[in-house]
Structure formats: structure tokens, C-alpha cells
Amino acid sequence: MLLEVSDLRGGYGGGDVVRGVSFQSGGGEIVFLAGPNGCGKTTLLRLLLGQLPASGGSVRVDGRELGTLSPRALANLVAYIPQQHTPIFAYTALEVVLMGRASHFSALESPRPVDRNAALAALERLGIADLAGRSCLSLSGGQRQMVLIARAVCQSARIFLMDEPDASLDYANGRRLLETAEDLAREGRCVVMSTHSPEHLFSPGCKVLLMREGRAAAFGSPEEVVTAGNLEAVYGVEMDVLAVEDRYGVRRRVCLPVRRGRP
């Protein structure tokens, strides 16, 4: 298993926000974290990164305890995409993506042609090669988010932790993001992504960790986890899970809130 989380607990000093979460994920899998605001999704990701100290439980990355990994070793294994990022300096998009290669050379070295080529390839993969020479200060929030995703791809990590990466993206780029995550999984990476998009939870071959009040309410396949009963218990909203066919006859599942007594 690339990522093993056992009875993990932790928070910000005033008490545990994450309370006893356990799950595993191997290469080739996407795990979606879902649940209402404040349920602990971001805190869980920060615990997985070692940015917050755990008060209990354990995290193993590629068979090794998280606390035993040096910053360079962790960067070679785990890439992180935050919810949002406001740049301070006028780095170009290419320079920001190239920062994802920092763990592949020493502090005294300059990026090599192979690193620059990897950064350009990551921008091309995300469909934003035209932004390479632009200052990130001039980009929209959604464009900056796509640059951060390209930086993580350029990092060549084995585990990708994404904290609501589609929050500021338009629909087309949101679809491109999901397709990129699916491609990374097919290449043998492990992707853990928090999301508020119900359609994500039915991605082929994914798993869903449904959270409530810092705990795992359910974990497993979408068929096991994404049910009307579980969604109502977690979100407090009546929802139906329906099977529909698109214009090409592909059968898909969708979540719809119930509008009882309303037109």
C-alpha cells in the first residue's frame, strides 16, 4: 500500500479535529474525501503531509512511518495541491511549475534541461502551455490553480493530495482536472482528493471516505458509501441517488436533493 492511515487523530492544539480516521490506498486508486464544511477534510490532509502533529494513530507512506521521512524524501513521494494560493512574487507560470522539481536537485544546483522539459510537459498536459511566460500575479484564481496542479504533476511524486482543487475552476477545467487525476491513477499513482462535487464520487474505480465531525462515517466503493441514507446522515439533507443514461447511452449515477412539496 502506498498510503496507510490507522486511527489517526490530530488538530490545531485546542483538541482533535480528526478523530480516529483509518483508510488505505494503493497505486492506481483515487480516494475522494467528502463531507460538510468543517468535518475535518483539510485537517486530515495536513496530518497526512506532516504539517500538523498527530496526537494519535499513524500514517505510513510507501511502507515507512511519516515521521521518519526527510523533507526531500517526503517531497519525492507526496505532492500537495492546496485549496488556493495567492502569489507574492511575480514568478512566471513556468517558474512556479519548475519549483516542483526542487527535490530532484540540490540547493546549490540550477534546474537542468530535463527539469525544464518536465515543467513544460506538465503545462502542456494541463492544457495551459500558453501561460508559461505569464506572471502568476496576472492570472485568474482558476488559472493559478491549474498552474499548481501542473507543479504537482511536474514533481513526479507517487501520492497526490488535493484539497478541493476544483473550487475555483470553471466546468471545463474542472473536467480536465478530474481527467488528469484519473490518468495519474492509471499510471499507478495514488490520489487523495477532497471535493464538494457529487459527480466526482462516481468516478470509475474510485473509493470514497465520507466524513462527519472528524470521523469516517463510511469508507469503500461508491456503491457502498454514496447512498441516500449516508448522504442524509452526513449532510442533513434529503438526497436521492439516481441512475441515468447520457446521450451516448452510458449509464451514470447522480445525486439530487429532494424538494418535497416544492415545484
Side-chain angles (χ1 to χ4, degrees):
M1 285 291 175
L2 275 178
L3 184 62
E4 301 171 82
V5 181
S6 178
D7 196 27
L8 186 61
R9 302 169 182 272
Y12 299 89
D16 290 343
V17 175
V18 171
R19 304 180 179 94
V21 169
S22 300
F23 71 95
Q24 296 182 339
S25 182
E29 292 183 342
I30 302 177
V31 175
F32 288 108
L33 308 179
N37 293 331
C39 71
K41 300 187 296 296
T42 296
T43 303
L44 174 59
L45 290 173
R46 294 192 64 188
L47 288 166
L48 298 182
L49 284 163
Q51 292 181 349
L52 292 175
S55 62
S58 66
V59 178
R60 295 180 65 85
V61 178
D62 198 23
R64 288 172 281 180
E65 290 289 341
L66 178 63
T68 68
L69 294 170
S70 68
R72 179 180 290 271
L74 185 61
N76 282 330
L77 284 169
V78 182
Y80 176 56
I81 300 167
Q83 283 186 26
Q84 57 186 349
H85 170 70
T86 302
I88 300 175
F89 301 105
Y91 292 116
T92 66
L94 177 59
E95 288 170 333
V96 170
V97 174
L98 195 52
M99 292 174 188
R101 300 290 297 175
S103 64
H104 296 270
F105 48 84
S106 75
L108 300 178
E109 292 179 313
S110 298
R112 302 154 297 179
V114 66
D115 300 309
R116 181 180 175 85
N117 290 338
L120 290 169
L123 287 165
E124 184 70 34
R125 180 171 185 169
L126 272 295
I128 54 172
D130 59 313
L131 302 181
R134 287 183 55 182
S135 165
C136 281
L137 293 174
S138 72
L139 302 181
S140 70
Q143 288 172 323
R144 289 198 298 266
Q145 192 68 2
M146 294 298 287
V147 170
L148 292 182
I149 296 165
R151 183 181 68 182
V153 170
C154 185
Q155 193 171 326
S156 300
R158 300 184 66 193
I159 300 171
F160 288 75
L161 304 181
M162 304 183 178
D163 191 1
E164 296 180 29
D166 61 332
S168 58
L169 300 183
D170 60 39
Y171 191 79
N173 280 323
R175 290 299 306 169
R176 184 175 291 132
L177 162 67
L178 186 58
E179 290 166 1
T180 300
E182 291 172 346
D183 287 344
L184 290 169
R186 279 190 288 268
E187 293 168 5
R189 269 79 164 188
C190 163
V191 179
V192 181
M193 181 192 302
S194 65
T195 182
H196 284 300
S197 300
E199 66 184 82
H200 287 175
L201 307 183
F202 301 109
S203 299
C206 79
K207 293 181 179 177
V208 178
L209 176 63
L210 200 58
M211 295 185 65
R212 180 186 181 191
E213 297 179 352
R215 304 181 186 277
F219 175 66
S221 69
E223 292 75 18
E224 296 169 323
V225 174
V226 189
T227 66
N230 281 343
L231 293 174
E232 183 174 353
V234 166
Y235 290 101
V237 175
E238 289 185 296
M239 300 184 74
D240 284 339
V241 180
L242 307 176
V244 299
E245 286 189 3
D246 65 20
R247 67 178 67 181
Y248 299 109
V250 177
R251 195 167 181 82
R252 304 171 64 182
R253 297 171 72 213
V254 298
C255 298
L256 290 177
V258 175
R259 301 182 59 155
R260 182 183 300 177
R262 297 176 64 187

